[in-house]
Amino acid sequence: MGFARTCSVALVGVEGVVVEVQADLEPGVAAFTLVGLPDKSLVEAKDRVRAAVVNSGAEWPQKKLTIGLSPASVPKSGSGFDLAVACAVLGAAERLDPRELTDLMMIGELGLDGRVRPVRGVLPAVLAAAEAGYRTVVVPECTAAEASLVPGVTVLGVRSLRQLIAILADEPVPDEEEVPREGHPDPLLAGLAVPGTGIAAGLPSGDHIPDLADVAGQHTARRALEIAAAGRHHIFLKGPPGAGKTMLAERLPGLLPPLTPKESLEVTAVHSVAGTLPPGQPLVERPPYCAPHHSATMASLVGGGTGLPRPGVVSLAHRGVLFLDEAAECSARVLDALRQPLEAGHVVVARAAAMLRMPARFLLALAANPCPCGRHGTPGGGCECRPSSVRGYRARLSGPLMDRVDLRVTVEPVARSALASLGAGAESSATVAERVREARARAAARYAGTPWTTNSEVPGHELRTRWHAQPGALAQAERDLECGLLTARGLDRVLRVAWTAADLARRDRPTAEDVAAALELRTGVQRGVPAPTTRRRPRPDGKHPRHPAPDPARVTS
């Protein structure tokens, strides 16, 4: 009787679980049994591993073979266990020393000819191995750069099972020829992408970044984009078609600072599991940008799929920008599903197979027309929509969702004079991004020693008790709270935006001017610094004049 064991990793969402692969050989009728809650692709590993071992020049044991994947209660899927299963079988057959396999972590799919093919999720798998104490990991050669991102782990990249056998048996390592010819795509890289998703979905492509200097006019919207990038505040752009809402949103990622090393590992792990990591780009260093179509389903947005859920768009946009164009055309259920990740920074997907927690801390940018035809409120627009249609169209964005959006900007049509002077005095993305980086550095220094780095992450209670605004700066916002024009959550978010405005202005504390700007960006009503109270002259009828009532269509919480 022969027995050997090695280890691999099962991916559950975007986290890895160490799995012990055990092989047991007993006398009896030749058979291959695989146990441990495998899925269909893992059950088919029996045929792949047998052919790969034989074509690699090793002898397949003609005995009763049982492969156990432990813990048996964890669902296992994918073909990444092939390499570990093959080595465990060869260890049980004494072709390899079983003691050499015990401390190895093996990840990779086997072709029938013995070549080691790459699989998705190598980075989170190696991270799980490092946390479990493993120091040597065997991966396909083309994913060795991705696995090397984990510190403290020795990565052994192999091209074939034949090479791995020679290394473990201390034999001369054979040279494997390059299969793809010059000018032809590498068929091995097909395993790194999910069919139909496209390579690098949601990731910046190339070195071209849309420049903010291309935007004509829109001074208020440009200022709102700068505040959104500096404090990671969610933003809503409303305006007629052609005003530049999409153009503005596409330039928002260019204002964000590069990802920190920790954030890069988080984003790379998500995209590696999702199969959207571009070949030759083992580490994502720039914030992702995802702009799904308004017909996206609930499962595609928050995560789902058959079996174990896969990361959705909210996770692919982690540490980046999620842009929903034509937001009013999206399903109300899909939009309301964003409420939990907007608050918590993660999404919990419950399915029959498992309940998974996936990261989803993104900057949300919404864009919508004012009415179905898009011309409501535009001078000379000729809107023919009925008032009930306009109200119903705007009601598709629910109050609880909009209460979580800090900045609400009306994008007006661009004037001819602004188009004629395009480029004259317009700031570039690099100039604005430099101010954003300085503002984030001020916030990070202020929150040093806390779990937060940006203003949007800090709870309102902490801002009110530990970091105070200037005396009297919140008087106007508190009056709006008493009048019911702001909710308690809205007041906290106004305070966060005021802190971001103060950081951009290099002030130590928010002033009444910063709070007024935050109120204006949230409610859409122009505010100013409160003036000293003066006695108003009475009207000829002897009555005192009253302030005009606010427009309920523009003043929201």
Side-chain angles (χ1 to χ4, degrees), residues 116-383:
V116 181
R117 304 176 62 91
V119 293
R120 298 186 297 271
V122 168
L123 178 58
V126 177
L127 284 171
E131 293 178 357
Y134 290 87
R135 293 294 173 260
T136 304
V137 180
V138 181
V139 298
E141 186 181 52
C142 53
T143 60
E146 180 182 347
S148 300
L149 297 174
V150 181
V153 175
T154 301
V155 178
L156 176 60
V158 294
R159 192 175 298 174
S160 67
L161 179 61
R162 186 182 298 105
Q163 286 186 339
L164 181 57
I165 293 174
I167 293 173
L168 296 178
D170 198 16
E171 300 172 354
V173 180
D175 294 329
E176 297 289 346
E177 60 179 357
E178 294 283 350
V179 174
R181 299 186 302 273
E182 185 177 356
H184 291 74
D186 190 349
L188 294 180
L189 299 180
L192 296 177
V194 175
T197 59
I199 299 295
L203 294 178
S205 58
D207 297 328
H208 175 71
I209 301 177
D211 200 329
L212 195 60
D214 301 335
V215 180
Q218 307 298 357
H219 301 292
T220 302
R222 291 168 63 98
R223 173 63 174 170
L225 284 184
E226 182 177 347
I227 292 177
R232 197 179 281 158
H233 302 288
H234 308 304
I235 185 171
F236 172 54
L237 303 172
K238 183 182 70 174
K245 303 185 296 296
T246 304
M247 190 176 186
L248 286 163
E250 288 176 346
R251 281 145 182 81
L252 183 55
L255 307 182
L256 300 178
L259 300 175
T260 63
K262 179 182 178 181
E263 293 173 345
S264 295
L265 287 178
E266 293 177 1
V267 175
T268 303
V270 173
H271 285 267
S272 177
V273 172
T276 58
L277 195 63
Q281 184 180 342
L283 184 66
V284 179
E285 298 177 341
R286 287 160 50 189
Y289 172 76
C290 295
H293 193 259
H294 61 260
S295 62
T297 62
M298 178 85 72
S300 67
L301 195 69
V302 301
T306 58
L308 292 176
R310 291 189 177 277
V313 177
V314 296
S315 297
L316 294 178
H318 180 59
R319 302 294 182 183
V321 177
L322 173 60
F323 175 49
L324 296 182
D325 201 0
E326 305 295 343
E329 300 291 344
C330 296
S331 168
R333 293 180 62 251
V334 172
L335 289 176
D336 287 338
L338 297 174
R339 287 153 58 176
Q340 182 208 8
L342 286 178
E343 284 290 325
H346 62 266
V347 60
V348 178
V349 182
R351 295 293 185 267
M355 179 180 292
L356 304 181
R357 181 181 182 272
M358 291 179 281
R361 188 171 295 281
F362 54 87
L363 195 164
L364 176 64
L366 300 171
N369 296 328
C371 67
C373 74
R375 298 189 297 270
H376 181 77
T378 304
C383 176

